[in-house]
Every structure is written in C-alpha cells, then in structure tokens.
Amino acid sequence: MNLTLKIWRQAGPRAKGEMVTYPVTDISPDMSFLEMLDVLNEQLTARGEEPIAFDSDCREGICGMCGLMISGKAHGPEVTTTCQLHMRSFSDGDEITVEPWRADAFPVIKDLVVDREAFDRIIQAGGFISANTGAAPEAHSVPVPKPKADRSFMAAACIGCGACVAACPNASGMLFLGAKITHLGELPQGQPERDARVVAMVNQHDHEGFGGCTNIGECSLACPKEIPQDVINQLNLDLRRALTHGH
C-alpha cells in the first residue's frame, strides 16, 4: 500500500504546530497503525529528521495510551484502540490525517502526545473505596446481585484512553466519569463514599476544563470498550442524590 499521511507536528506545548505531509510506500495491510508510524519514524531517523512523537505502551488494546485522531475519528475508522487498528482498514492511495486529541484539558506535549493527567486527578479526587487493612472480608461472603456485578464489570472496562473527550464536540469527559462512578457505585464496597465521591469527581472534572454533556452520543460511539452512554445517566442520578443529601 502507498499512502499519504498528513501529520500534526508541534515541537512543544507553547510552539506553533502545523500539518506536515509524508508519503509512505510498501505498507503491509497486516501492519497495525502504530507499526506503520514506526516505519515512517525509521525513515525519518535515517534521513536525519526528527521522528514523530506518539504515545504507546502495551499495543494490545489494554492501556489506553495510543489515542490518535485519524481522519477526523477518535482511534480511526474501526471501534478499537489505535494500536489494534490495522492498515487493511484503509485503501491503497488513501490520504490520512493524524492529529492529537483536541481538548483544553488534554494539552499537547509534543506532536501527537497529549497530557492526560486530568483523568488521573479526577480519579484521585474520589475514585476509591475505603477498606481497613487486614480486615477485608472474603469476597464470596459479600452478596452482589449478578446484574449489578455485570454492570460494574462493564463500566470498569474503561481504559481512560480519552477517545470520548476527543469525539465530543464539547470535549466532555462525562462518559469516562460516568464509567468510574458506575463501576464503584454498583458494588457494596463502593457505598460508604458514594455521595462524596460523585461530588468530588464532578467538581474536579469541571475544574480541569472539560465541557458539559449535551447527550450527542459521539462519546459512546467512539469508545473502544463500548461503554454505553447510560453510565452518564447513572452519574447524574448519583449527583442529584448526593446534592439532595447535602454533600
């Protein structure tokens, strides 16, 4: 496959960025998108040019590090992570634009790498449960209805990649936040801090500069783990209850 890539290049957080065009040739359709970028970087390095900075770690669709905006879609044309997107999803001769996540809360560090520590700070604000050291009960002694357990596991599949934010016209992080609220709130262990948790995490979300949710639904469509939009409903219900209780 021969392709034309238009890639965002930005030397640093305060530098002016621009789209730069790179032709790539003889790309195997069995390569992942990141492997294709690796090939391009090898060519740039061989020519003495600065390689393109992009994030990756596990390359197995687990860690959420590899988020890119590919031809206007978070993670590209398939519902998967960028590292699991293969070049057979494209056609010979395609022109592909590659950009970082676009959100005030995700500032660009360099090229395609953004700072997603805002998600970490949201979790630190309340995404935990309290358990006394040495006193944790045996797991099977705490009854959990199967529908609640299934829903908790579904929400816990969120990998914090940020595709929901990148896809949302408002750059809202509510799908991520709803998933974190739901996966703890459905379990007995999550009940003691449930009200305080949702208030603290929503306040941190807004403080970080994420936009508000207007129920457009692009977030759930872009989510590589297919987190449903109704976790946002759960978030709103929990928040309303917490504020009613005076938190």
Side-chain angles (χ1 to χ4, degrees), residues 1-4 22-28 31 39 43 92:
M1 297 172 63
N2 298 327
L3 304 164
T4 301
Y22 298 99
V24 289
T25 59
D26 298 325
I27 296 298
S28 167
M31 284 183 180
V39 170
Q43 295 172 357
D92 185 43

Side-chain angles (χ1 to χ4, degrees), residues 160-191:
C161 66
C164 52
V165 177
C168 177
N170 305 325
S172 172
M174 285 295 183
L175 190 74
F176 163 81
L177 183 52
K180 299 306 176 186
I181 291 296
T182 300
H183 97 254
L184 293 176
E186 290 287 357
L187 300 177
Q189 297 90 336
Q191 301 313 304

